[in-house]
Amino acid sequence: MPAKPLSIWHPFTQEALDPQPLPIERGQGVYLYTRDGRKLIDAISSWWVNLHGHAHPLIAEAIAEQAHKLEHVIFAGFTHDAAEELARGLRRILPQPLEHVFFSDDGSTAVEVALKMALQYWRNLGKARKNRFVALEHAYHGDTAGAMSVGADSDFVTAFEELRFPVLRVPSAHCFRCPVGKQRATCDIDCIRPLASLLEERHDEIAAVIVEPLLQGAGGMIVHPVEFLQRIRTLCTEYDVLLIADEVLTGFGRCGRMFACELAGVVPDVMCLSKGLTGGFLPLAATVCTPAVYDSFRSTDRSRTFFHGHSYTANPLGCAAAIASLKVFDSEPVFERIAAIEKIHRQRSPALAKHIAVADVRMIGTVMALELKADDPGYFSELRPALYDFYLSKGVLLRPLGNVVYILPPYVITAEQLHYVYDVIAESLDRVPRAAVQRAGH
């Protein structure tokens, strides 16, 4: 009789179908070391959070030092040095005028804070009718109720439909599957027109538009033209609607600049940060906003207070990790490493794009994604488990989004290590069933 499994319920795991979790003993740099002695290249930064490599000594030491000083304190009515130093550090790197920082726990809660902040902003201004949100197709903003609501309709949220509030949804700039049937080389970002029409007709009831700037992650690593984000910003300004940028994935260098919005020269009214905020060491999030948003909450009327908080708001250990991660940006050649990753993506991806099994290649910054041809495209594609197991057998952690294989490595990955990841992916393409490729019409 097989041993009874531990009573740990793992995320995004079908316990009746998926293999037992792989025990990891330690991490160092780009590698994860298993309990049975193997090592894996962490080519997805452990769910996109790790920036500078596992067990980076500067961050580890900062956490240990903070733990001996102050592990936690209630943040309502209190403050501490680590939170204040982190807020100053964020203000130094954030696009102006984003300067007011509200701390929370993770990406989903950063989004929840942003949604509530935007809604109450208009209520505090006496415009309570502006209470609707606009979100993009293919969006993913987290798994709490509000974040699910502004996320796309998908199998992820079907079971929780009763918890989701209604959202106005417009097309994403998904150039490979253009929602308006155009080609990127000749279009004028025509997919923006539904948003333009919606804001023109209903801006009086719309509080905010929420986007993942330039890169929709869980939706399939969909890369947008910079003009798409620029047009959204222009429309939001024109129609007096807030723009929320969910930079939970895209922040801290993932797209080649510190924040994806910088690539488009755009400043949102509210920005959500998490994942790489602490360098991948501890859960922490921040929702930052402009003075215009913040000032609407300052009042002698207590009903205008932002009644939101978390037990571990601005946890000092998380703040210490984030401060140390920002210091790594200052003390190590992080953006040179990012540029080196981008260069290898540009070198290696064209050959993969020519493979018969590849339908599309998408790149931005340190992220490269291949969409494979499949009979069953989407998150539940049968290609995923087979490829996932193959990559692990080759010593690489890659976790395909269905039929989309992507690389999103820690910045410390070496050229040799990254080329090995590409070699493994290239080998895996020959395992994609030819019959499925032919049935896909290619």
Side-chain angles (χ1 to χ4, degrees):
M1 183 176 179
K4 187 176 181 180
L6 292 174
S7 56
I8 300 175
W9 200 340
H10 291 263
F12 294 97
T13 298
Q14 176 45 260
E15 305 286 350
L17 297 173
D18 294 332
Q20 288 296 304
L22 189 60
I24 299 299
E25 192 170 73
R26 63 187 179 92
Q28 185 67 50
V30 77
Y31 287 107
L32 295 169
Y33 294 84
T34 67
R35 194 181 294 163
D36 60 5
R38 290 179 290 158
K39 66 178 184 178
L40 306 172
I41 295 176
D42 185 357
I44 61 167
S45 300
S46 285
W47 246 347
W48 321 344
V49 301
N50 191 284
L51 301 185
H52 312 298
H54 293 281
H56 191 288
L58 181 65
I59 304 176
E61 290 163 10
I63 295 170
E65 182 179 345
Q66 181 63 50
H68 285 288
K69 180 180 178 182
L70 176 66
E71 83 298 340
H72 189 61
V73 64
I74 182 175
F75 208 61
F78 291 83
T79 189
H80 54 81
D81 292 344
E84 293 175 358
E85 184 177 350
L86 177 55
R88 287 192 295 269
L90 289 174
R91 286 185 62 176
R92 177 173 57 85
I93 63 172
L94 283 164
Q96 290 298 310
L98 292 170
E99 57 185 52
H100 295 282
V101 182
F102 192 98
F103 290 112
S104 60
D105 299 345
D106 56 28
S108 288
T109 53
V111 169
E112 296 285 337
V113 169
L115 298 175
K116 292 172 71 173
M117 191 180 287
L119 192 72
Q120 190 176 344
Y121 165 77
W122 292 111
R123 183 175 295 275
N124 286 350
L125 294 183
K127 298 182 179 181
R129 186 167 179 263
K130 288 174 74 72
N131 58 11
R132 301 295 301 274
F133 290 93
V134 179
L136 300 182
E137 294 174 354
H138 310 292
Y140 176 82
H141 297 285
D143 296 321
T144 50
M148 283 196 306
S149 296
V150 292
D153 297 330
S154 70
D155 291 325
F156 285 170
V157 299
T158 300
F160 316 111
E161 196 59 42
E162 292 85 354
L163 296 177
R164 302 170 76 207
F165 58 75
V167 167
L168 302 169
R169 205 167 299 281
V170 294
S172 158
H174 191 349
C175 295
F176 179 60
R177 290 187 173 83
C178 178
V180 292
K182 297 294 183 73
Q183 296 294 319
R184 177 68 191 100
T186 56
C187 84
D188 186 31
I189 316 297
D190 300 272
C191 54
I192 200 70
R193 292 177 182 172
L195 175 62
S197 298
L198 179 64
L199 292 180
E200 181 181 14
E201 296 169 7
R202 303 181 65 173
H203 61 273
D204 286 345
E205 58 182 290
I206 295 172
V209 176
I210 183 168
V211 300
E212 297 159 89
L214 302 185
L215 174 66
Q216 291 183 295
M221 295 296 167
I222 300 165
V223 178
H224 296 163
V226 294
E227 295 89 347
F228 183 64
L229 182 59
Q230 291 167 344
R231 300 278 184 89
I232 293 174
R233 172 69 277 182
T234 299
L235 287 168
C236 287
T237 301
E238 179 181 355
Y239 289 107
D240 198 22
V241 168
L242 295 180
L243 173 59
I244 300 171
D246 177 356
E247 293 243 19
V248 168
L249 162 60
T250 56
F252 303 102
R254 286 295 180 198
C255 294
R257 298 286 291 274
M258 188 63 84
F259 302 104
C261 285
E262 294 179 60
L263 289 168
V266 161
V267 180
D269 302 287
V270 181
M271 182 184 285
C272 305
L273 304 172
S274 190
K275 290 196 181 292
L277 176 58
T278 66
F281 272 69
L282 288 168
L284 185 70
T287 304
V288 295
C289 69
T290 63
V293 173
Y294 174 79
D295 288 344
S296 74
F297 290 85
R298 286 180 60 88
S299 174
T300 56
D301 180 357
R302 284 198 178 274
S303 69
R304 287 171 59 173
T305 302
F306 190 44
F307 291 110
H308 186 98
H310 300 264
S311 299
Y312 283 93
T313 295
N315 173 255
L317 302 179
C319 290
I323 293 164
S325 179
L326 293 181
K327 288 180 179 177
V328 174
F329 276 96
D330 293 333
S331 63
E332 298 183 16
V334 176
F335 280 97
E336 291 178 22
R337 294 167 179 163
I338 289 170
I341 293 170
E342 292 183 83
K343 182 179 179 180
I344 293 174
H345 285 338
R346 290 192 297 270
Q347 290 173 345
R348 295 295 304 265
S349 59
L352 298 183
K354 296 176 183 178
H355 195 283
I356 190 174
V358 175
D360 189 41
V361 175
R362 303 188 273 270
M363 285 185 296
I364 184 169
T366 64
V367 183
M368 191 286 301
L370 301 175
E371 182 165 334
L372 305 183
K373 297 169 186 174
D375 282 339
D376 56 347
Y379 187 80
F380 294 113
S381 172
E382 287 300 317
L383 285 177
R384 182 205 169 280
L387 290 173
Y388 178 69
D389 290 343
F390 174 76
Y391 297 140
L392 288 179
S393 75
K394 295 292 185 176
V396 180
L397 171 55
L398 289 167
R399 197 170 190 273
L401 296 163
N403 62 312
V404 176
V405 177
Y406 67 92
I407 304 173
L408 198 159
Y411 304 149
V412 293
I413 194 168
T414 66
E416 181 182 5
Q417 291 163 343
L418 185 52
H419 278 299
Y420 177 73
V421 173
Y422 267 98
D423 291 344
V424 169
I425 290 175
E427 184 179 353
S428 77
L429 297 181
D430 293 330
R431 302 172 68 88
V432 177
R434 287 294 178 273
V437 170
Q438 292 168 357
R439 284 194 295 271
H442 302 278

